[in-house]
Amino acid sequence: MPGIFIEQQLDREEIIQFICKEMDVRYKDVLSKDRSRIYVLTRNMCYAILKTYVGSTVASIGRLFFRDHTTVLHGLRMHRQDMETNDIYAEQFEEIRFLLKLNLPTKKHLNYAKSIRILG
């Protein structure tokens, strides 16, 4: 899809470890069942980056975090909600996205991709 690229291909676990480092949490705590807010936010950030930029399936993301795919879907919904309502979270996400050198597709690219799918 136009507009999405990763300059250097990173391993999914390296991405998770990088996000943990930036969020100042331990990798093992993010993988744990602990539902402290900071761990939940970090997990959701990981889910969003892995799904949006790496193209991982929700099932494969769930396996990485020892969770069910429906838990990942819920985390992705919460990520979208937090991006709209929590400015600090949105800033942290954008900074991490920038540091990982990830580019989000623009609305123009999304509309272009949608029009191609409609045309055939």
Side-chain angles (χ1 to χ4, degrees):
M1 171 178 246
I4 299 177
F5 69 91
I6 301 176
E7 284 185 14
Q8 56 185 357
Q9 189 63 32
L10 294 174
D11 180 70
R12 294 182 314 167
E13 289 184 7
E14 288 175 340
I15 291 172
I16 296 167
Q17 289 173 353
F18 180 81
I19 294 169
C20 290
K21 181 177 161 247
E22 290 300 314
M23 294 292 288
D24 197 28
V25 297
R26 294 184 309 186
Y27 179 74
K28 74 175 197 165
D29 290 334
V30 171
L31 297 182
S32 74
K33 299 290 182 189
D34 192 330
R35 295 188 339 195
S36 299
R37 185 73 175 145
I38 187 66
Y39 303 142
V40 171
L41 291 174
T42 304
R43 268 185 224 120
N44 293 348
M45 218 176 267
C46 292
Y47 298 163
I49 286 176
L50 292 173
K51 177 76 173 123
T52 307
Y53 301 103
V54 180
S56 298
T57 64
V58 290
S60 67
I61 295 169
R63 284 190 297 272
L64 273 174
F65 287 88
F66 309 105
R67 284 167 173 71
D68 188 71
H69 74 281
T70 57
T71 303
V72 176
L73 288 172
H74 177 71
L76 290 168
R77 279 193 300 277
M78 293 298 97
H79 168 76
R80 282 191 292 277
Q81 181 179 336
D82 285 333
M83 287 295 287
E84 293 172 3
T85 59
N86 185 339
D87 292 337
I88 294 170
Y89 177 82
E91 280 181 35
Q92 287 174 322
F93 180 78
E94 291 301 320
E95 182 179 337
I96 288 171
R97 187 179 66 77
F98 175 78
L99 292 171
L100 284 170
K101 296 181 171 77
L102 302 172
N103 288 322
L104 190 66
T106 64
K107 285 188 179 185
K108 177 182 171 186
H109 287 120
L110 292 174
N111 289 335
Y112 175 72
K114 190 183 296 181
S115 68
I116 289 174
R117 277 180 280 185
I118 291 170
L119 293 174

